[in-house]
Amino acid sequence: MRDATPQTIYLKDYKVPEFLIDKTNLVFDLNEDYCRVSSSLAIRRNPASQSSSASLFLHGGKDLDLQCIEVDDCPLNDDQYQRTEDGLIINHVPDNAVINIEVLIKPHLNTTMMGLYKSRTMYCTQCEAEGFRNITFYLDRPDVMSEFTTKLIADKHQFPVLLSNGNPLDQGELDNGRHFVTWHDPFKKPAYLFALVAGDLSVVEDSFTTCTNREILLQIFVESKDLNKCDHAMLSLKKSMRWDEQTYGREYDLDRFMIVAVDDFNMGAMENKGLNIFNTSAVLANPKTTTDAAFQRVEGIVAHEYFHNWSGNRVTCRDWFQLSLKEGFTVYRDSQFSADMNSSVVKRIEDVSYLRTYQFAEDAGPMSHPVQPDAYMEINNFYTLTVYEKGAEVVGMIHSLLGDAKFRQGSDLYFSRHDGQAVTIEEFVSAMEEVSGLDLKQFRRWYKQSGTPVVNVQSSYDAEAKTYSLNFNQSCPTTSGQSHKKPFFIPIKLGLVDANGQDLPLNSQGDQSIVFSLYSNSQTLVFENIQQPPVPSLLRGFSAPIKLDYNYTSDELAHLMAHDSDGFNRWDAGQKLSLLVLNRLIDDAKAKRELVMDQQLITVFGELLKDHSLDPAMVNLMLQLPSEAQLHEQAETIYVDAIHGAREFARQSIATALQEQLVATYKRLTDNQDYAPEAQQIGRRSLRNCVLGYLMQVETVGPELAWQQFNDASNMTDKAAALSALVNCQAADSYAVKALHAFEQDYADETLAMNLWLQIQATSKLNNGLERVKDLMGHPAFSINNPNKARSLLGAFCSANPVNFHHQDGSGYGFLQQQIIALNALNPQVAARLVTPLTRWKKLPEPNRQLMRDALQQISNHKGLVKDIQEIVTKSL
Ligand code: B3K
Ligand code: ZN
C-alpha cells in the first residue's frame, strides 16, 4: 500500500511527552514463524507536560498483531482503545499505571531491516530512528528514556546466543529444547538504542581496564567462518576506549561491551547501548580479503559507535531535529581519533575532499537542509552528509574558536550537566559559550542556515605604503526553502607566503598564521610593513566549510604547492592548479577544440615524483586529479563526457610525459614487507597504486604491470587496485577477463570480497557498463535483498560510473527507475538512497535533463510508493 501523503513534521511543533515510561520489561518468545512480544510499561504522567488528557498514545506499526492490552492488570475491551494508522490510543489511563501489551510480529518476513528482522540465520534489530514501533507499541521518541529489562526465549540448538543491552541477569533451560536469557540495562535509554540478537554465533573475547581500574569484558560475535577477521576491530575498540578517556575524560560504564556482525544491515553500524550491531563490512577485516581503505573504515566506525556511548547514549537527542547533536559531534570525535592514530593531514584532506564532493553537492541540490533541519517527512532521509559531515565541521569550528582547553571544559560541562538527559543542539552550544565567555549568537547560524557560503577574496598591494590588503565578501546561494541568508561567522585561517616560500610575520607578535573572523558581508584586512606582494595562503586546514574564491595565477598555486607551511593548503593549491587546467580542457572538449595539455602541471607532478623526502601518502593525494564527482559538483552544468574526456586526456598526458619517473616510483615502492594496516605502509601502497593507475594509460607498460601485480599481490589492497586498473583499460581486456575469473574462483566464499568484485565491475568506465551490471545481477554473488550488494552493484553504477549511467539514450535512468521500484517494496531506506543521482537532473544538459526528470516522474507515479521515496522525489521534481 502506498504510504498516505506523508505529513511534514516541524521542529516548531515539538511538545514534551505527556507520559513517561520509567521501566520497560520485555519478553521475546522467538518461534519459527512468529515472535510473541510481551511488554510491561511502568508509565507516569510527565510533570513537565501541560496536557491533562487521560488518553495515552503509543506508536505502533501496522504489522503489529495486537493480542491483548491490560492497564494495571485489567484487560481492556475493544471500546477502551483504538488502533490508528500509526499507533494505538488507550482512552483512559491513570497518572501512574502499568500497561501490559502482547503482540505477535513476523521478523522472518521483515525485509525493511527496521525493527526485528532476520539476517541469514540470526535475529537482530535496528531501532534508530523509529524501528522500535515495529516491535511493539511504545512511546517511540528519543526524549522518553526508560530502564529496560529484556528476556529472550528461543530454541537452544538454533539460537544458543541470546543478547540484549546491559548485563545478563538470569538464564536457564526450558521445555522442548528451549532456553532463556534475561538482560538488564541499568542506564535509562530511549527505545532507539534497544537491541537484541539471537543466533548461533562464535565470539572473540578480550578485556579492557578502564582509567579507574574496572575490567570490561569485550566481545565480538560473528559467524564462525569469520573468526579470523575480528582482530582489527578488537584492537580499534581498545584504542578507542583509551583515547576517549585521555582526550575527553570519558570512561566506559557497563561491565561488558558487545559487537555483533550481521550481513544484512542498512548502514554501517548502530550504537545500541552495550550491544553495538555492525554491518559485517564495518567490522570484519583481514589482509587477504580487506583493502586498506576498508581497514581504516573499520577503525573509524568502531570508534564512532563506541564514542556514541557518551555522545548519543548517556546524553541523547531530545527529538530527531537534534540528530547532529550526536552525529556531528561523534563524527568530529572519530575524525580526531583517526587523525591521532594515523596522519592528521592525510585524514584532513580525505575528510575535506569527501565533504566538498558530496556534502556540497547535497547542499546545492533539492534535499539541501540545515545541520539542524526544521522539517522532515521521513527522518531516515535526514541521516545525511549535512547532518554528519557538515555537523562535524561546525563542531570543529567551535573547537578552534575555543582552543583545546576551553573546548574540553565545554565538553566536560555538557556531559556532566546533561548526563541521562535528552537535549538539544542549543544546550551543546550553550555549554561551549558558558565556559569560554564567547558570544556564539551569530555562529549558531551554521546550524540553521543551509547552503555552502562562498567567500570571495580580492587582494591589493600598496607599494608606497607597504601595505597588503585582503578584502573578503561573503554570500550564500539560495537553497531549498531559504532564499535570504544572514551573514555567517566564518573563521578564516590564513598566512602570507613570500617569494622565498617563507611565511611572513602577520602582526607585532610575529604570528605566521592567524584566524581572521569574517562576520559581515564585506570586511577588509590590512597588513603593514609588507615589502613585496606575497601569495596569500587562505583557509588553512579548511578552517570553515565554505567555498573560497580567489583568483590565483598558476604560478602562485605552484608556489604554494611547493612552500606553504600548511600541509592541507599545499595539497589544496595542487587541486586548484589541476582545476584550472581541467576546466580549460573541459571547455575545449565541449567546444570540440583540440586538447592541449598544460606543461606546468606536468612539471610540478614530475617534481613531486622526484622528491623522495616527501611522505608517499601526501604525494599520492597531490597526484590525484580532482575526481569526476568533484568536477560535477563545481560545474554549473555537468557535461559528463567532456568532463570525463578532459580528465582522461590530462591523465594520459601526465602518464606519457612522466613515464620514466612513474615506473621508477613504482619500483621504489615495491617491497615484500609483511602486511600491516598502518599509516606508513598504507601511504606507500596508495602511491604505488596511484602510479599504476597512471601507467595504465601507457599501453606498453600498464596492462602487463597490473596483471603482474594482480598475481603477485599478497594483500587485497594491491589485488583490488590491480583488478580495477585492468577492468578500466581497454588495452588490458584479455587480462581483465582472466583476473575477474581468478578473483571469482579465489574469493567465492568471501562475501565482502565478492562485493568488491561487483563494485569494481560496476564502476568500470569502459563501454557497455549497463549491460555488464545487468549480467552481474544474475550472478550468485548478487542479491537485491542484501543492502551491501545492492550498494556495491546498483549504487556504485549509478553514483560512481557517470559515463555509463548518464548514457544519452537514458538507459541508465530507466534501469535505476526499475531498481528503485523493485526496492521500494523491499527496503525503503536502501531504495531512497539510490534515488540521489536522479535528483541532480537540473545540472545536466539536454537530453539527459529531461530523461532524468521523466524517470523521477515515473517513480513518483508508482502506486505503492513509500514515504521515504515520496519525500525525495517530491522535493526534486
Ligand atoms: N546512529 C546510526 C545511524 C542510524 C541510521 C538510521 N536510519 C549509526 C551511526 O551514525 O552511528
Ligand atoms: Zn553516529
Side-chain angles (χ1 to χ4, degrees), residues 271 304 308 327 388:
E271 70 263 24
H304 180 98
H308 267 316
E327 296 305 348
Y388 276 63

Side-chain angles (χ1 to χ4, degrees), residues 128 269 271 304-305 308 311 326-328 330-331 334 388:
E128 186 178 2
E271 70 263 24
H304 180 98
E305 306 310 332
H308 267 316
S311 49
K326 74 178 178 78
E327 296 305 348
T330 306
V331 171
D334 84 57
Y388 276 63

Side-chain angles (χ1 to χ4, degrees), residues 364-642:
M367 282 295 289
S368 167
H369 56 275
V371 172
Q372 180 178 75
D374 46 22
Y376 62 77
M377 291 180 194
E378 170 51 62
I379 185 55
N380 285 318
N381 287 334
F382 285 79
Y383 286 74
T384 58
L385 295 147
T386 300
V387 165
Y388 276 63
E389 272 69 28
K390 186 177 181 181
E393 291 297 318
V394 175
V395 174
M397 285 191 286
I398 295 179
H399 187 166
S400 43
L401 288 170
L402 267 67
D404 291 343
K406 292 284 175 202
F407 182 73
R408 171 65 195 272
Q409 263 181 41
S411 73
D412 284 352
L413 176 63
Y414 166 74
F415 286 128
S416 64
R417 179 183 281 170
H418 300 296
D419 191 6
Q421 298 178 1
V423 301
T424 61
I425 288 173
E426 177 52 34
E427 274 144 329
F428 178 81
V429 180
S430 296
M432 294 295 170
E433 213 165 26
E434 221 171 291
V435 296
S436 65
L438 287 177
D439 177 355
L440 297 175
K441 185 162 177 285
Q442 185 186 3
F443 184 87
R444 285 173 171 80
R445 288 180 192 154
W446 282 108
Y447 286 107
K448 302 274 186 192
Q449 296 190 148
S450 57
T452 305
V454 178
V455 175
N456 180 279
V457 186
Q458 314 254 353
S459 62
S460 59
Y461 182 64
D462 183 334
E464 228 157 83
K466 302 274 183 238
T467 56
Y468 180 75
S469 311
L470 291 171
N471 178 245
F472 298 82
N473 282 285
Q474 66 162 299
S475 60
C476 184
T478 294
T479 43
S480 112
Q482 292 195 352
S483 48
H484 179 73
K485 312 285 167 84
K486 294 190 179 138
F488 287 86
F489 180 93
I490 305 179
I492 300 182
K493 189 171 179 197
L494 56 87
L496 300 178
V497 182
D498 74 9
N500 298 322
Q502 300 296 311
D503 275 334
L504 292 176
L506 302 175
N507 50 28
S508 50
Q509 295 94 281
D511 290 331
Q512 296 180 338
S513 229
I514 56 167
V515 179
F516 170 66
S517 301
L518 177 62
Y519 50 84
S520 55
N521 285 322
S522 178
Q523 274 166 251
T524 301
L525 177 61
V526 182
F527 300 94
E528 319 248 325
N529 275 326
I530 306 290
Q531 303 306 317
Q532 304 257 308
V535 182
S537 166
L538 303 165
L539 204 67
R540 283 182 163 171
F542 199 70
S543 58
I546 61 163
K547 291 187 178 181
L548 190 131
D549 174 22
Y550 177 83
N551 205 1
Y552 283 109
T553 64
S554 37
D555 287 342
E556 288 174 324
L557 290 170
H559 189 65
L560 290 179
M561 243 181 121
H563 303 292
D564 200 316
S565 60
D566 183 80
F568 175 84
N569 266 15
R570 269 203 308 282
W571 167 79
D572 202 27
Q575 293 292 293
K576 290 193 164 96
L577 182 60
S578 302
L579 271 179
L580 282 181
V581 172
L582 289 169
N583 281 330
R584 277 197 298 265
L585 289 171
I586 292 166
D587 284 343
D588 289 342
K590 264 183 341 209
K592 307 232 180 307
R593 285 188 293 266
E594 192 197 345
L595 303 186
V596 182
M597 185 59 187
D598 175 276
Q599 289 308 306
Q600 188 171 26
L601 192 63
I602 293 186
T603 309
V604 296
F605 276 16
E607 268 149 29
L608 286 170
L609 287 169
K610 263 188 263 162
D611 187 346
H612 297 182
S613 71
L614 298 172
D615 173 9
M618 280 300 286
V619 178
N620 162 54
L621 292 167
M622 298 191 72
L623 291 179
Q624 302 281 351
L625 296 176
S627 65
E628 286 180 38
Q630 204 188 330
L631 294 168
H632 291 185
E633 194 291 316
Q634 58 103 46
E636 205 150 302
T637 304
I638 302 173
Y639 291 93
V640 175
D641 292 335

